[in-house]
Amino acid sequence: MVFISDQAKKKLISLMEEEGISNDVSFVRFGVKSGGCSGLSYELTFDKVQKKEDQLFQHENMKILVDKNSIPYLSGTTLEYSGGLNGKGFYFKNPNAQHTCGCGKSFSS
C-alpha cells in the first residue's frame, strides 16, 4: 500500500488541472529506478494508461499506479509535499529506506 498526504494531494490536483489532466481518469505513478547518489531514485509522473504489470492503489480520490518491480521498495511509503521558501517540494517518506541522500531524491534499502 502507498499513500498521499493531504498537502501532496492538493498540489497534485493543482498540477493536473494546470496540465489539463483529470484525476478522475488519470493516474499518479510512483516508481523506483536505478541511479542517484544512494543507488535508487524515485519517479513521480502522471499516466493515462494502466499496464498489466501495474498494481493500482486508491487513496481517497487519487488513483496511484506502482509497477511490480517497485512495490517491494515503496510498500508503506507516503508521498509528502512541502511548499514555501524552505520547502522541499514533493518527497517520499519511505519506511523501507535504509539510507537517503541529502536531497531526498534517492535511497538505498
Side-chain angles (χ1 to χ4, degrees), residues 43 48 80:
E43 293 183 305
K48 293 184 180 183
E80 299 279 355

Side-chain angles (χ1 to χ4, degrees), residues 66-107:
V66 181
D67 67 89
K68 69 178 182 178
N69 294 329
S70 296
I71 289 173
Y73 299 106
L74 296 176
S75 181
T77 295
T78 301
L79 177 67
E80 299 279 355
Y81 181 79
S82 176
L85 294 176
N86 293 322
K88 298 180 188 179
F90 289 106
Y91 62 99
F92 292 86
K93 285 180 65 177
N94 185 344
N96 305 303
Q98 302 278 326
H99 173 67
T100 58
C101 68
C103 69
K105 305 279 186 212
S106 70
F107 70 101

Side-chain angles (χ1 to χ4, degrees), residues 3-19:
F3 307 96
I4 299 176
S5 72
D6 287 339
Q7 286 283 42
K9 181 176 75 170
K10 287 177 189 172
K11 186 62 177 177
L12 286 170
I13 289 171
S14 172
L15 290 171
M16 291 173 112
E17 289 172 354
E18 285 177 21
E19 294 188 24

Side-chain angles (χ1 to χ4, degrees), residues 35-92:
C37 51
S38 292
L40 296 168
S41 61
Y42 297 107
E43 293 183 305
L44 177 64
T45 59
F46 298 130
D47 206 333
K48 293 184 180 183
V49 178
Q50 181 178 357
K51 299 174 185 161
K52 186 171 78 170
E53 64 273 6
D54 290 333
Q55 184 165 351
L56 174 66
F57 297 95
Q58 184 88 25
H59 184 76
E60 297 179 14
N61 62 339
M62 300 297 294
K63 294 178 278 196
I64 308 163
L65 295 178
V66 181
D67 67 89
K68 69 178 182 178
N69 294 329
S70 296
I71 289 173
Y73 299 106
L74 296 176
S75 181
T77 295
T78 301
L79 177 67
E80 299 279 355
Y81 181 79
S82 176
L85 294 176
N86 293 322
K88 298 180 188 179
F90 289 106
Y91 62 99
F92 292 86

